[in-house]
């Protein structure tokens, strides 16, 4: 039924397909791994596909990884775990969409990131995209005879497009819309208490000012009350995973910057951890401190912008956002001086960071940490927390309770605002976070007000960490490895995860010993957290939905990848 994964460089257990639900139930109920954070499909042609599950205890400690292997013959079928872990809903749909793994028992298995008429499953190893040249970079075909050219110049537009048989774009009606609205049908009632009741379906987004980017929510409304909801994603999707598997390991580092474009530093951190685990290399001591400093500064500016834009969602127009962005700009000044870029920092390297903090920058960091950010946080708290508009719109407006938050795999501030003190920096420390004295911020009401307050709490805890890191940072090298354009990564698998400002950001990376990742999968907090949106929206007023969605602090670049 269960056997250890004995492949060199791999860990965890391999579970027989027919025993998956029984084993997953025991893992959750008997062994206490109640938080299923990541579900990843992997293609191993010609004979098998694999689904990898990462489960953790919300009480802390290392995780448990188990896998199911099935024959690579269509239909590739694996039992769905949605009835045990509702949080796998969108992740199973993603694996179906991109790899063609059919999760039997899933009640709403539709494409999620690709468009409805898309042909094939693009993360399969034998799938070839438009403008395909070679499986992995560097593409040798790009400089024949020493002459560089763009592949697009030799491939006229439309030659790379493949349509389904008999497809006529002029007559095409998306099937997916019928499935989408069909998924809402269970909320439709024709009669209640003898009265005919009409429920209407509305689309909010994908380009709606309150939907935080290209996100679309399809809702069934009963009057002003939300009776059903389906999130629609994928408008930004460029198949980050596929491109990541074409890139070399090092070339993926700047690529991670683009995910959550507010937090490229923490994006770098998670990927660096995964590859360093595979390479089994240490991180230079000074670089460990620098990593913590830039990550916590990143968390502070993220939460400040969250609060500023939250006030926008509540109707405060632009003034609070401008105050928040002023502090963010000062932190980006630091990032620019350190890395050379304000948003796409590309700063981490395997074994350390790419550059040291310049001598004239550390005093600026101290000024921010010891003076300005402390003062500005207090000022923000005084201005907003007792504001009667905020209190009336958020206090007592329920978001999610602890039990449901865990079941739906929610991580980050939303989980902690529901009363679960789970923070990866404490629960399963990475880097040198175990050296610092700080508290895991937690609130217990689970309402919108607590979701706002938890961000202020976390800014203060980040300032505590920064205070210690600045005082303790040693002199020395900033990388344990020599600078190089290519790294050698032994065969095996690794999962690197960090507590990003939005929750767990994880990278599952598989190496076959060659210069490019065999599998590169991002587990984004924004994508998994939104799984619970349907659950928490039903029964709330549509006016509250805008604020409720804001509490997830979604960035669609990370969500869609």
């Amino acid at each position: 039924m269960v056997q250890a994964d004995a492949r060199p460089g791999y860990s965890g257990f391999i579970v027989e397909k027919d025993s998956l639900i029984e084993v997953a139930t025991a893992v959750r109920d008997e062994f206490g791994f109640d938080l299923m954070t990541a579900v990843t499909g992997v293609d191993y042609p010609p004979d098998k596909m694999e689904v990898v599950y990462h489960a953790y205890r919300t009480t802390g400690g290392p995780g448990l990884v188990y896998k199911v292997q099935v024959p690579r013959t269509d239909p590739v079928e694996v039992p769905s775990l949605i009835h045990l872990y509702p949080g796998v809903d969108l992740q199973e749909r993603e694996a179906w969409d991109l790899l063609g793994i059919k999760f039997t028992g899933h009640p709403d298995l539709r494409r999620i990131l690709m468009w409805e008429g898309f042909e094939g499953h693009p993360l399969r190893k034998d799938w070839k995209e438009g403008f395909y040249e070679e499986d992995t970079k560097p593409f040798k075909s790009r400089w024949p005879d020493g002459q560089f050219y763009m592949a697009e110049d030799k491939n006229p537009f439309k030659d790379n497009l493949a349509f389904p048989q008999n497809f006529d774009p002029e007559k095409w009606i998306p099937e997916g819309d019928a499935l989408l609205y069909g998924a809402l049908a269970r909320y439709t009632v024709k009669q209640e208490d003898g009265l005919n009741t009409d429920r209407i379906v509305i689309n909010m987004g994908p380009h709606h000012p309150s939907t935080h980017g290209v996100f679309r929510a399809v809702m069934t409304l009963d009057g002003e009350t939300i009776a059903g909801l389906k999130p629609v994603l994928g408008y930004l999707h460029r198949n980050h995973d596929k491109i990541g598997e074409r890139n070399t390991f090092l070339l993926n580092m700047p690529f991670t910057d683009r995910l959550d474009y507010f937090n490229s530093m923490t994006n770098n951190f998670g990927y660096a951890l995964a590859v360093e685990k595979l390479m089994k290399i240490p991180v230079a001591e000074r670089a460990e401190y620098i990593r913590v400093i830039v990550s916590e500064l990143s968390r502070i500016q993220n939460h400040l912008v969250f609060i500023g834009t939250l006030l926008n969602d509540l109707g405060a127009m632009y003034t609070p956002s401008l105050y928040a962005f002023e502090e963010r700009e000062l932190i980006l000044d630091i990032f620019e001086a350190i890395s050379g870029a304000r948003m796409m920092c590309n700063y981490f390297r395997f074994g350390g960071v790419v550059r040291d903090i310049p001598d004239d920058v550390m005093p600026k960091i101290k000024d921010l940490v010891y003076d300005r950010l402390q003062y500005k946080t207090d000022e923000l708290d005084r201005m907003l927390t007792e504001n009667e508009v905020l209190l009336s719109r958020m206090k007592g407006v329920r978001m999610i309770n602890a039990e449901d938050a865990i079941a739906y795999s929610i991580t980050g501030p939303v989980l902690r605002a529901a009363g679960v003190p789970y923070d990866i920096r404490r629960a399963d420390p990475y880097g040198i976070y175990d050296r610092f004295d700080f508290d895991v911020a937690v609130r217990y009401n689970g309402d919108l007000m607590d979701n706002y307050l938890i961000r202020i709490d976390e800014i203060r805890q980040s300032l505590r960490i920064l205070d210690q890191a600045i005082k303790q940072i040693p002199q020395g090298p900033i990388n344990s490895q020599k600078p190089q354009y290519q790294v050698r990564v032994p065969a095996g698998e690794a999962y690197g995860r960090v507590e990003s400002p939005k929750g767990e950001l994880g990278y599952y990376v598989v190496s076959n010993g060659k210069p490019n990742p065999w599998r590169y999968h991002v587990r984004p907090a924004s994508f998994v957290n939104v799984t619970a949106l349907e659950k928490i929206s039903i029964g709330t007023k549509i006016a509250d939905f805008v604020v409720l969605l804001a509490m997830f602090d979604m960035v669609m670049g990370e969500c869609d990848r």
Side-chain angles (χ1 to χ4, degrees):
M1 180 187 294
V2 178
Q3 60 181 342
D5 189 345
R7 292 172 291 180
Y10 285 73
S11 61
F13 300 93
I14 296 176
V15 180
E16 291 179 6
K17 170 186 160 182
D18 294 338
S19 305
L20 176 63
I21 292 179
E22 183 183 352
V23 170
T25 304
V27 165
R28 186 192 66 175
D29 298 341
E30 296 178 28
F31 298 98
F33 290 88
D34 50 349
L35 185 67
M36 174 68 76
T37 64
V39 179
T40 310
V42 189
D43 189 10
Y44 290 104
D47 57 346
K48 68 182 176 188
M49 279 203 182
E50 186 174 274
V51 180
V52 185
Y53 300 91
H54 286 88
Y56 293 86
R57 295 185 176 103
T58 50
T59 51
L64 177 69
V65 55
Y66 55 96
K67 304 145 188 175
V68 172
Q69 295 179 340
V70 289
R72 192 180 183 274
T73 305
D74 285 325
V76 179
E77 292 185 303
V78 173
S80 172
L81 294 187
I82 194 167
H83 300 296
L84 285 174
Y85 294 101
V88 304
D89 182 357
L90 302 189
Q91 297 190 79
E92 288 187 347
R93 281 180 60 190
E94 179 191 11
W96 158 249
D97 188 1
L98 303 183
L99 283 153
I101 300 172
K102 185 177 182 181
F103 290 88
T104 53
H106 192 294
D108 188 23
L109 198 64
R110 294 176 287 118
R111 285 198 179 276
I112 185 168
L113 296 173
M114 310 305 290
W115 65 294
E116 294 83 356
F118 191 86
E119 190 78 352
H121 303 285
L123 279 181
R124 288 193 175 187
K125 291 296 179 183
D126 52 3
W127 186 88
K128 302 289 189 295
E129 71 273 29
F131 302 119
Y132 171 82
E133 293 179 68
E134 297 174 47
D135 280 349
T136 56
K137 292 180 180 176
F139 297 147
K140 296 180 178 62
S141 55
R142 288 288 179 96
W143 50 84
D145 306 321
Q147 190 70 34
F148 177 82
Y149 75 92
M150 297 294 289
E152 294 87 336
D153 295 339
K154 290 195 171 185
N155 194 347
F157 177 64
K158 291 187 178 177
D159 282 7
N160 65 314
L161 299 180
F163 292 107
Q165 192 175 10
N166 300 323
F167 179 81
D168 183 349
E170 299 297 328
K171 297 178 181 175
W172 179 69
I173 299 173
E175 277 184 29
D177 275 8
L179 293 173
L180 170 63
Y181 295 120
L184 283 167
R186 67 177 183 272
Y187 302 115
T188 302
V189 293
K190 294 181 178 176
Q191 212 166 45
E192 284 184 355
D193 300 329
L195 296 175
N196 287 330
T197 302
D198 288 333
R199 289 184 171 177
I200 59 170
V201 175
I202 68 164
N203 284 276
M204 187 175 281
H207 294 282
H208 189 280
S210 67
T211 56
H212 291 235
V214 279
F215 175 79
R216 174 179 163 212
V218 185
M219 291 181 243
T220 302
L221 292 183
D222 183 358
E224 294 183 7
T225 303
I226 298 173
L229 182 145
K230 285 291 174 186
V232 183
L233 316 170
Y235 294 97
L236 274 181
H237 189 234
R238 292 295 179 274
N239 217 333
H240 183 100
D241 287 16
K242 187 75 171 183
I243 298 170
E245 290 166 15
R246 295 264 190 267
N247 284 340
T248 62
F249 284 94
L250 189 56
L251 278 177
N252 272 337
M253 187 61 77
F255 196 45
T256 65
D257 292 341
R258 275 76 181 162
L259 288 164
D260 175 0
Y261 38 78
F262 271 89
N263 293 289
S264 66
M265 291 295 192
T266 44
N267 297 351
N268 284 183
F269 205 162
Y271 178 61
L273 286 176
V275 178
E276 285 159 359
K277 280 184 186 177
L278 278 167
M279 295 174 71
K280 297 182 175 60
I281 58 171
V283 178
E285 183 75 356
R286 181 173 173 81
E288 290 276 28
Y289 282 88
I290 294 174
R291 287 179 171 194
V292 169
I293 290 171
V294 296
S295 294
E296 295 310 313
L297 284 172
S298 193
R299 191 182 316 278
I300 290 170
Q301 61 83 28
N302 180 88
H303 285 355
L304 287 170
V305 172
F306 164 84
I307 293 168
T309 51
L310 173 65
L311 270 290
N312 276 18
D313 290 326
L314 287 165
M317 296 304 287
Y318 302 111
T319 306
S321 281
L322 292 175
Y323 277 104
F325 270 91
E326 184 178 6
E327 306 312 308
R328 170 179 155 82
E329 289 300 310
L330 294 173
I331 291 173
L332 295 194
D333 287 344
I334 302 292
F335 289 171
E336 184 178 14
I338 293 173
S339 70
R342 299 179 73 79
M343 289 184 68
M344 306 304 156
C345 295
N346 182 21
Y347 185 54
F348 284 42
R349 292 293 181 273
F350 308 131
V353 294
V354 66
R355 298 180 192 86
D356 204 345
I357 298 176
D359 291 339
D360 62 333
V361 174
M362 189 56 88
K364 294 178 181 174
I365 296 176
K366 290 178 180 176
D367 287 345
L368 276 181
V369 171
Y370 295 140
D371 185 16
R372 183 171 178 110
L373 290 175
Q374 300 274 7
Y375 166 72
K376 287 291 179 182
T377 306
D378 293 342
E379 184 183 59
L380 201 68
D381 195 4
R382 281 198 308 276
M383 285 172 58
L384 299 179
T385 303
E386 296 300 323
N387 181 287
E388 61 182 281
V389 175
L390 262 71
L391 289 172
S392 64
R393 290 293 306 276
M394 298 199 299
K395 195 171 180 60
V397 179
R398 173 68 57 183
M399 187 162 178
I400 196 164
N401 61 37
E403 185 180 354
D404 287 338
I406 295 169
Y408 278 86
S409 304
I410 287 178
T411 53
V414 179
L415 178 64
R416 293 187 284 275
V420 183
Y422 183 80
D423 184 317
I424 302 172
R425 294 172 297 174
R426 272 281 182 261
D428 187 17
Y430 54 94
I432 55 168
Y433 274 104
D434 55 352
R435 300 181 190 176
F436 300 115
D437 180 26
F438 69 98
D439 299 320
V440 174
V442 61
R443 297 262 171 177
Y444 297 97
N445 295 318
D447 61 0
L448 299 183
M449 194 68 192
D450 274 7
N451 274 271
Y452 151 75
L453 290 170
I454 200 89
R455 267 73 178 202
I456 295 200
D457 297 340
E458 293 193 359
I459 290 173
R460 293 203 167 102
Q461 294 304 321
S462 289
L463 289 170
R464 278 181 72 187
I465 295 170
L466 282 164
D467 176 23
Q468 298 164 65
I470 291 168
K471 288 173 179 168
Q472 296 173 18
I473 185 171
Q475 294 297 323
I478 53 159
N479 200 318
S480 64
Q481 312 292 304
K482 292 180 180 176
Q484 49 194 331
Y485 294 104
Q486 191 71 274
V487 293
R488 292 183 179 177
V489 181
E493 62 165 4
Y495 183 62
R497 61 178 192 146
V498 297
E499 186 66 46
S500 88
K502 294 168 173 60
E504 176 171 333
L505 172 64
Y507 294 84
Y508 179 72
V509 181
V510 176
S511 169
N512 59 358
K514 294 183 177 178
N516 314 77
W518 176 258
R519 184 73 175 97
Y520 165 87
H521 176 64
V522 183
R523 185 272 185 209
S526 294
F527 178 70
V528 180
N529 284 354
V530 83
T531 309
L533 187 62
E534 179 182 10
K535 170 76 177 175
I536 64 180
S537 297
I538 293 175
T540 64
K541 301 293 184 188
I542 191 169
D544 292 331
F545 172 75
V546 175
V547 190
L548 190 149
L549 180 64
M551 292 304 173
F552 282 121
D553 193 17
M554 291 163 56
V555 160
M556 295 311 293
E558 180 190 63
C559 190
D560 284 359
R561 287 149 288 151

